[in-house]
Amino acid sequence: MDQKTWKRTRINYLGLLGTVSFISYTAAVLFSPLDYPGYDWMSQAVSDLSASNSPSLQMWQRLSALYGVCGLVSIMMVCVYIRGKLTKTIRHGIYTFACMNWISSAGYTVFPLSESGYSGTFSDIMHVYVVTALVVILSIVSLLCIMAGGYRNKKYLSLAVWASAALAFMFAGAVGAGAVPRAYFGIVERCSVFSAVAFNAVLGIYLYCGFWHETDRKG
């Protein structure tokens, strides 16, 4: 498509909801601890803020109200827009990333932590070992696909670089969680949780920009 004739449509504007989602999530992470006496962000997980018995639960729900819905709308509009565009590998990566977002949104809502930390209830087991495992696996697979397609086709190199950065932060969080002292668990854990939310915002910005007018067919 000729860049001079390209015009932004409503679907492109919906990509900005990815940034709204990121801002909503960031606000929840930063300000929910104000309603959680004694919360230590350096050692405690983000999910402690939204646990069923957390004193900051209502604050979290208010601040993160736009996080889930805006993030899902943005990534689904990306999926609609890229149909027949980019390359097959990148498309499959983005579709997998969308699946991860749905599992994350639904899974963590249905199975919140019963209380801050881990008490071993059924909801806790599903939250930590099932939902989180699916989210991590799908995130890694999706990012690797986007990286493979982007580095193979230099037209999409910038997208591959963003995916690489997201994957690096995700691995830093996963590896760091088992390597750093418990007192610093919260710091490395945030590397993982923010990487996916931030990459969703990046894809939304790409949508807003029309993926820089890329229209490769069946690549």
Side-chain angles (χ1 to χ4, degrees):
M1 182 183 297
D2 188 342
Q3 292 190 11
K4 293 182 179 180
T5 63
W6 183 80
K7 292 183 179 180
R8 190 170 285 115
T9 62
R10 290 187 182 90
I11 193 172
N12 297 115
Y13 283 103
L14 288 174
L16 294 177
L17 291 178
T19 300
V20 174
S21 172
F22 176 78
I23 293 173
S24 177
Y25 185 81
T26 301
V29 172
L30 291 178
F31 298 112
S32 292
L34 296 177
D35 268 10
Y36 193 132
Y39 180 83
D40 181 9
W41 71 272
M42 294 181 65
S43 64
Q44 290 184 256
V46 171
S47 54
D48 286 357
L49 295 168
S50 58
S52 297
N53 71 337
S54 172
S56 61
L57 178 59
Q58 288 190 358
M59 176 69 79
W60 175 273
Q61 292 174 335
R62 293 191 185 101
L63 294 176
S64 66
L66 297 177
Y67 156 59
V69 63
C70 289
L72 289 176
V73 171
S74 177
I75 190 61
M76 293 311 296
M77 291 302 99
V78 169
C79 291
V80 171
Y81 186 82
I82 64 172
R83 183 178 180 184
K85 300 181 178 71
L86 308 178
T87 70
K88 184 176 181 180
T89 305
I90 294 177
R91 289 198 303 271
H92 285 176
I94 292 176
Y95 295 154
T96 303
F97 191 77
C99 289
M100 179 279 295
N101 273 272
W102 277 100
I103 290 174
S104 174
S105 180
Y108 289 130
T109 300
V110 175
F111 302 110
L113 287 178
S114 59
E115 60 183 68
S116 299
Y118 179 79
S119 62
T121 66
F122 176 73
S123 185
D124 292 340
I125 293 172
M126 294 297 294
H127 182 104
V128 175
Y129 295 110
V130 178
V131 178
T132 298
L134 287 172
V135 167
V136 170
I137 292 171
L138 290 176
S139 295
I140 293 174
V141 170
S142 65
L143 293 172
L144 287 175
C145 286
I146 295 171
M147 290 164 58
Y151 286 125
R152 187 162 55 237
N153 188 327
K154 300 304 180 182
K155 292 173 66 175
Y156 311 111
L157 180 61
S158 64
L159 191 57
V161 171
W162 280 109
S164 299
L167 187 61
F169 275 96
M170 194 171 294
F171 274 127
V175 173
V180 303
R182 180 65 191 181
Y184 302 107
F185 171 80
I187 297 177
V188 295
E189 188 251 1
R190 280 161 172 74
C191 291
S192 292
V193 297
F194 269 102
S195 62
V197 181
F199 189 69
N200 200 36
V202 168
L203 289 177
I205 292 172
Y206 269 77
L207 172 60
Y208 176 73
C209 297
F211 279 80
W212 278 265
H213 324 323
E214 303 293 359
T215 56
D216 282 357
R217 299 288 174 175
K218 298 179 181 180

